[in-house]
Amino acid sequence: MWAEGMTLPKFVEEALIAAHESPGAGVYIMTLMSPAIAAEALPGQFVDVSVPLGTSILRRPLGIAEVSRTEGWIRLIYRIVGQGTQALAAARPGARVSVLGPLGKGFRTQLRRPLLVGGGMGLSPLLFFAAESRGTASVLMGGRTKDELFWEHIYAPYVHEVFITTDDGSYGTKGFVTTLLPELLAKESYDGIAVCGPPVMMQRVAALAASYDVPCEVSLERHMACGLGACLSCAVDTKYGRRKVCKDGPVFSADEVYYDAS
């Protein structure tokens, strides 16, 4: 478990791409043989991955979705959003990429009954949390349509319950995750919430968690150039001053980043 002031080890590995496939919708699942990072990674942390074929100088920060400490692999789930990730998606099994990590501060996972709340690609880093929870966590996931919720079968082996919302009502409860969340908080005894997704969603989830007096952590996403806290490109304002998402986060207590500054 991460503690304030603790310096965690980082590694640079030339990782073999063991598997690389797409479940659809421009999303890719990449499995990398990276034993040193797999041994040390914590839920909520990320890695910086080099882009193959020299298409970009900067690495791409990707959340760690799953690990096998015994087999020495890490799994990354990402969506194509630009030239860098498009080039990464073209990499084939058997190729190698340089991986730096594990980076950042992860979730506090020592919870008795956590609720994970995610939307879109925010469900990727929460998957690691689910796997580490060994069946004690439940997940509330949201998407625009049923097609976006391929995540359900990925999460199913790891969680106690899966709750689903879709914007168009094509699957699960019609609406957003915040449509169903009050009902879950009213009838269940969760001792913590971990959330990752669009900023507006996270802020609304944080407000609902506070109204039910449930501790909440959020994983922020910002553009990162270095991933090590040197370039300041990912700095955000918090209750305690400016913080670097790549180093002080990406996981923060919700009341640290969503607060009344007046």
PDB file of all heavy atoms in Angstrom, residues 137-156:
ATOM      1  N   ALA A 137     -14.894  -6.440  -4.418  1.00  0.00           N
ATOM      2  CA  ALA A 137     -15.337  -5.196  -5.049  1.00  0.00           C
ATOM      3  C   ALA A 137     -16.529  -5.437  -5.958  1.00  0.00           C
ATOM      4  O   ALA A 137     -16.690  -6.508  -6.540  1.00  0.00           O
ATOM      5  CB  ALA A 137     -14.195  -4.571  -5.852  1.00  0.00           C
ATOM      6  N   SER A 138     -17.346  -4.401  -6.092  1.00  0.00           N
ATOM      7  CA  SER A 138     -18.382  -4.362  -7.120  1.00  0.00           C
ATOM      8  C   SER A 138     -18.047  -3.224  -8.065  1.00  0.00           C
ATOM      9  O   SER A 138     -17.310  -2.294  -7.705  1.00  0.00           O
ATOM     10  CB  SER A 138     -19.760  -4.146  -6.503  1.00  0.00           C
ATOM     11  OG  SER A 138     -20.141  -5.253  -5.708  1.00  0.00           O
ATOM     12  N   VAL A 139     -18.577  -3.282  -9.291  1.00  0.00           N
ATOM     13  CA  VAL A 139     -18.272  -2.245 -10.265  1.00  0.00           C
ATOM     14  C   VAL A 139     -19.556  -1.694 -10.865  1.00  0.00           C
ATOM     15  O   VAL A 139     -20.487  -2.448 -11.179  1.00  0.00           O
ATOM     16  CB  VAL A 139     -17.325  -2.773 -11.370  1.00  0.00           C
ATOM     17  CG1 VAL A 139     -17.953  -3.932 -12.140  1.00  0.00           C
ATOM     18  CG2 VAL A 139     -16.922  -1.652 -12.328  1.00  0.00           C
ATOM     19  N   LEU A 140     -19.602  -0.391 -11.001  1.00  0.00           N
ATOM     20  CA  LEU A 140     -20.675   0.314 -11.696  1.00  0.00           C
ATOM     21  C   LEU A 140     -20.049   0.933 -12.928  1.00  0.00           C
ATOM     22  O   LEU A 140     -19.176   1.796 -12.825  1.00  0.00           O
ATOM     23  CB  LEU A 140     -21.274   1.400 -10.788  1.00  0.00           C
ATOM     24  CG  LEU A 140     -22.231   2.416 -11.429  1.00  0.00           C
ATOM     25  CD1 LEU A 140     -23.420   1.735 -12.084  1.00  0.00           C
ATOM     26  CD2 LEU A 140     -22.682   3.440 -10.377  1.00  0.00           C
ATOM     27  N   MET A 141     -20.458   0.468 -14.108  1.00  0.00           N
ATOM     28  CA  MET A 141     -19.853   0.939 -15.351  1.00  0.00           C
ATOM     29  C   MET A 141     -20.892   1.570 -16.260  1.00  0.00           C
ATOM     30  O   MET A 141     -22.045   1.124 -16.319  1.00  0.00           O
ATOM     31  CB  MET A 141     -19.135  -0.201 -16.071  1.00  0.00           C
ATOM     32  CG  MET A 141     -19.994  -1.404 -16.416  1.00  0.00           C
ATOM     33  SD  MET A 141     -19.063  -2.707 -17.320  1.00  0.00           S
ATOM     34  CE  MET A 141     -17.893  -3.235 -16.083  1.00  0.00           C
ATOM     35  N   GLY A 142     -20.478   2.617 -16.948  1.00  0.00           N
ATOM     36  CA  GLY A 142     -21.382   3.309 -17.846  1.00  0.00           C
ATOM     37  C   GLY A 142     -20.811   3.466 -19.235  1.00  0.00           C
ATOM     38  O   GLY A 142     -19.593   3.551 -19.416  1.00  0.00           O
ATOM     39  N   GLY A 143     -21.695   3.505 -20.222  1.00  0.00           N
ATOM     40  CA  GLY A 143     -21.295   3.718 -21.607  1.00  0.00           C
ATOM     41  C   GLY A 143     -22.429   4.348 -22.377  1.00  0.00           C
ATOM     42  O   GLY A 143     -23.571   4.407 -21.894  1.00  0.00           O
ATOM     43  N   ARG A 144     -22.121   4.801 -23.564  1.00  0.00           N
ATOM     44  CA  ARG A 144     -23.172   5.408 -24.371  1.00  0.00           C
ATOM     45  C   ARG A 144     -24.171   4.365 -24.875  1.00  0.00           C
ATOM     46  O   ARG A 144     -25.374   4.606 -24.892  1.00  0.00           O
ATOM     47  CB  ARG A 144     -22.550   6.158 -25.550  1.00  0.00           C
ATOM     48  CG  ARG A 144     -21.846   7.447 -25.140  1.00  0.00           C
ATOM     49  CD  ARG A 144     -21.133   8.092 -26.302  1.00  0.00           C
ATOM     50  NE  ARG A 144     -20.041   7.267 -26.799  1.00  0.00           N
ATOM     51  CZ  ARG A 144     -19.219   7.618 -27.781  1.00  0.00           C
ATOM     52  NH1 ARG A 144     -19.385   8.770 -28.385  1.00  0.00           N
ATOM     53  NH2 ARG A 144     -18.243   6.811 -28.160  1.00  0.00           N
ATOM     54  N   THR A 145     -23.640   3.196 -25.302  1.00  0.00           N
ATOM     55  CA  THR A 145     -24.475   2.117 -25.813  1.00  0.00           C
ATOM     56  C   THR A 145     -23.964   0.780 -25.281  1.00  0.00           C
ATOM     57  O   THR A 145     -22.873   0.698 -24.704  1.00  0.00           O
ATOM     58  CB  THR A 145     -24.463   2.072 -27.359  1.00  0.00           C
ATOM     59  OG1 THR A 145     -23.151   1.669 -27.786  1.00  0.00           O
ATOM     60  CG2 THR A 145     -24.807   3.428 -27.954  1.00  0.00           C
ATOM     61  N   LYS A 146     -24.715  -0.260 -25.532  1.00  0.00           N
ATOM     62  CA  LYS A 146     -24.308  -1.604 -25.117  1.00  0.00           C
ATOM     63  C   LYS A 146     -22.975  -2.010 -25.742  1.00  0.00           C
ATOM     64  O   LYS A 146     -22.162  -2.698 -25.113  1.00  0.00           O
ATOM     65  CB  LYS A 146     -25.395  -2.613 -25.500  1.00  0.00           C
ATOM     66  CG  LYS A 146     -25.083  -4.040 -25.087  1.00  0.00           C
ATOM     67  CD  LYS A 146     -26.206  -4.991 -25.461  1.00  0.00           C
ATOM     68  CE  LYS A 146     -25.872  -6.423 -25.052  1.00  0.00           C
ATOM     69  NZ  LYS A 146     -26.967  -7.359 -25.399  1.00  0.00           N
ATOM     70  N   ASP A 147     -22.730  -1.568 -26.975  1.00  0.00           N
ATOM     71  CA  ASP A 147     -21.509  -1.960 -27.683  1.00  0.00           C
ATOM     72  C   ASP A 147     -20.245  -1.510 -26.949  1.00  0.00           C
ATOM     73  O   ASP A 147     -19.186  -2.122 -27.101  1.00  0.00           O
ATOM     74  CB  ASP A 147     -21.495  -1.384 -29.106  1.00  0.00           C
ATOM     75  CG  ASP A 147     -22.538  -2.035 -29.992  1.00  0.00           C
ATOM     76  OD1 ASP A 147     -23.020  -3.135 -29.640  1.00  0.00           O
ATOM     77  OD2 ASP A 147     -22.888  -1.446 -31.031  1.00  0.00           O
ATOM     78  N   GLU A 148     -20.333  -0.444 -26.165  1.00  0.00           N
ATOM     79  CA  GLU A 148     -19.167   0.064 -25.454  1.00  0.00           C
ATOM     80  C   GLU A 148     -18.866  -0.718 -24.181  1.00  0.00           C
ATOM     81  O   GLU A 148     -17.820  -0.507 -23.560  1.00  0.00           O
ATOM     82  CB  GLU A 148     -19.357   1.536 -25.094  1.00  0.00           C
ATOM     83  CG  GLU A 148     -19.353   2.474 -26.292  1.00  0.00           C
ATOM     84  CD  GLU A 148     -19.344   3.923 -25.877  1.00  0.00           C
ATOM     85  OE1 GLU A 148     -19.404   4.202 -24.659  1.00  0.00           O
ATOM     86  OE2 GLU A 148     -19.262   4.796 -26.768  1.00  0.00           O
ATOM     87  N   LEU A 149     -19.756  -1.620 -23.805  1.00  0.00           N
ATOM     88  CA  LEU A 149     -19.608  -2.288 -22.506  1.00  0.00           C
ATOM     89  C   LEU A 149     -19.125  -3.723 -22.656  1.00  0.00           C
ATOM     90  O   LEU A 149     -19.575  -4.624 -21.956  1.00  0.00           O
ATOM     91  CB  LEU A 149     -20.930  -2.204 -21.735  1.00  0.00           C
ATOM     92  CG  LEU A 149     -21.250  -0.759 -21.334  1.00  0.00           C
ATOM     93  CD1 LEU A 149     -22.664  -0.645 -20.801  1.00  0.00           C
ATOM     94  CD2 LEU A 149     -20.259  -0.259 -20.300  1.00  0.00           C
ATOM     95  N   PHE A 150     -18.159  -3.923 -23.563  1.00  0.00           N
ATOM     96  CA  PHE A 150     -17.439  -5.200 -23.636  1.00  0.00           C
ATOM     97  C   PHE A 150     -16.699  -5.462 -22.328  1.00  0.00           C
ATOM     98  O   PHE A 150     -16.264  -6.576 -22.043  1.00  0.00           O
ATOM     99  CB  PHE A 150     -16.442  -5.171 -24.800  1.00  0.00           C
ATOM    100  CG  PHE A 150     -15.419  -4.076 -24.691  1.00  0.00           C
ATOM    101  CD1 PHE A 150     -14.253  -4.271 -23.986  1.00  0.00           C
ATOM    102  CD2 PHE A 150     -15.636  -2.838 -25.296  1.00  0.00           C
ATOM    103  CE1 PHE A 150     -13.296  -3.266 -23.880  1.00  0.00           C
ATOM    104  CE2 PHE A 150     -14.693  -1.828 -25.192  1.00  0.00           C
ATOM    105  CZ  PHE A 150     -13.520  -2.043 -24.480  1.00  0.00           C
ATOM    106  N   TRP A 151     -16.556  -4.398 -21.521  1.00  0.00           N
ATOM    107  CA  TRP A 151     -15.879  -4.502 -20.229  1.00  0.00           C
ATOM    108  C   TRP A 151     -16.551  -5.497 -19.294  1.00  0.00           C
ATOM    109  O   TRP A 151     -15.893  -6.048 -18.402  1.00  0.00           O
ATOM    110  CB  TRP A 151     -15.850  -3.144 -19.537  1.00  0.00           C
ATOM    111  CG  TRP A 151     -15.113  -2.080 -20.261  1.00  0.00           C
ATOM    112  CD1 TRP A 151     -15.637  -1.130 -21.103  1.00  0.00           C
ATOM    113  CD2 TRP A 151     -13.699  -1.833 -20.222  1.00  0.00           C
ATOM    114  NE1 TRP A 151     -14.654  -0.313 -21.577  1.00  0.00           N
ATOM    115  CE2 TRP A 151     -13.447  -0.712 -21.055  1.00  0.00           C
ATOM    116  CE3 TRP A 151     -12.637  -2.449 -19.566  1.00  0.00           C
ATOM    117  CZ2 TRP A 151     -12.169  -0.197 -21.237  1.00  0.00           C
ATOM    118  CZ3 TRP A 151     -11.364  -1.939 -19.747  1.00  0.00           C
ATOM    119  CH2 TRP A 151     -11.134  -0.830 -20.571  1.00  0.00           C
ATOM    120  N   GLU A 152     -17.831  -5.721 -19.462  1.00  0.00           N
ATOM    121  CA  GLU A 152     -18.561  -6.566 -18.515  1.00  0.00           C
ATOM    122  C   GLU A 152     -17.923  -7.938 -18.372  1.00  0.00           C
ATOM    123  O   GLU A 152     -17.683  -8.431 -17.257  1.00  0.00           O
ATOM    124  CB  GLU A 152     -20.023  -6.711 -18.942  1.00  0.00           C
ATOM    125  CG  GLU A 152     -20.838  -7.542 -17.970  1.00  0.00           C
ATOM    126  CD  GLU A 152     -22.275  -7.740 -18.427  1.00  0.00           C
ATOM    127  OE1 GLU A 152     -22.593  -7.398 -19.588  1.00  0.00           O
ATOM    128  OE2 GLU A 152     -23.090  -8.243 -17.608  1.00  0.00           O
ATOM    129  N   HIS A 153     -17.610  -8.604 -19.491  1.00  0.00           N
ATOM    130  CA  HIS A 153     -17.067  -9.957 -19.399  1.00  0.00           C
ATOM    131  C   HIS A 153     -15.616  -9.947 -18.925  1.00  0.00           C
ATOM    132  O   HIS A 153     -15.126 -10.945 -18.385  1.00  0.00           O
ATOM    133  CB  HIS A 153     -17.193 -10.673 -20.750  1.00  0.00           C
ATOM    134  CG  HIS A 153     -16.173 -10.281 -21.776  1.00  0.00           C
ATOM    135  ND1 HIS A 153     -16.351  -9.222 -22.633  1.00  0.00           N
ATOM    136  CD2 HIS A 153     -14.935 -10.796 -22.066  1.00  0.00           C
ATOM    137  CE1 HIS A 153     -15.286  -9.111 -23.415  1.00  0.00           C
ATOM    138  NE2 HIS A 153     -14.409 -10.040 -23.092  1.00  0.00           N
ATOM    139  N   ILE A 154     -14.913  -8.816 -19.101  1.00  0.00           N
ATOM    140  CA  ILE A 154     -13.539  -8.715 -18.606  1.00  0.00           C
ATOM    141  C   ILE A 154     -13.532  -8.599 -17.084  1.00  0.00           C
ATOM    142  O   ILE A 154     -12.690  -9.185 -16.394  1.00  0.00           O
ATOM    143  CB  ILE A 154     -12.816  -7.516 -19.247  1.00  0.00           C
ATOM    144  CG1 ILE A 154     -12.744  -7.699 -20.766  1.00  0.00           C
ATOM    145  CG2 ILE A 154     -11.418  -7.352 -18.662  1.00  0.00           C
ATOM    146  CD1 ILE A 154     -12.121  -6.522 -21.501  1.00  0.00           C
ATOM    147  N   TYR A 155     -14.476  -7.850 -16.545  1.00  0.00           N
ATOM    148  CA  TYR A 155     -14.565  -7.648 -15.101  1.00  0.00           C
ATOM    149  C   TYR A 155     -15.180  -8.831 -14.360  1.00  0.00           C
ATOM    150  O   TYR A 155     -14.870  -9.066 -13.187  1.00  0.00           O
ATOM    151  CB  TYR A 155     -15.417  -6.406 -14.804  1.00  0.00           C
ATOM    152  CG  TYR A 155     -14.642  -5.123 -14.681  1.00  0.00           C
ATOM    153  CD1 TYR A 155     -14.299  -4.385 -15.805  1.00  0.00           C
ATOM    154  CD2 TYR A 155     -14.265  -4.627 -13.443  1.00  0.00           C
ATOM    155  CE1 TYR A 155     -13.599  -3.196 -15.700  1.00  0.00           C
ATOM    156  CE2 TYR A 155     -13.573  -3.435 -13.322  1.00  0.00           C
ATOM    157  CZ  TYR A 155     -13.241  -2.727 -14.448  1.00  0.00           C
ATOM    158  OH  TYR A 155     -12.540  -1.552 -14.338  1.00  0.00           O
ATOM    159  N   ALA A 156     -16.071  -9.556 -15.015  1.00  0.00           N
ATOM    160  CA  ALA A 156     -16.890 -10.570 -14.336  1.00  0.00           C
ATOM    161  C   ALA A 156     -16.103 -11.543 -13.452  1.00  0.00           C
ATOM    162  O   ALA A 156     -16.555 -11.854 -12.336  1.00  0.00           O
ATOM    163  CB  ALA A 156     -17.715 -11.330 -15.364  1.00  0.00           C
TER     164      ALA A 156
END
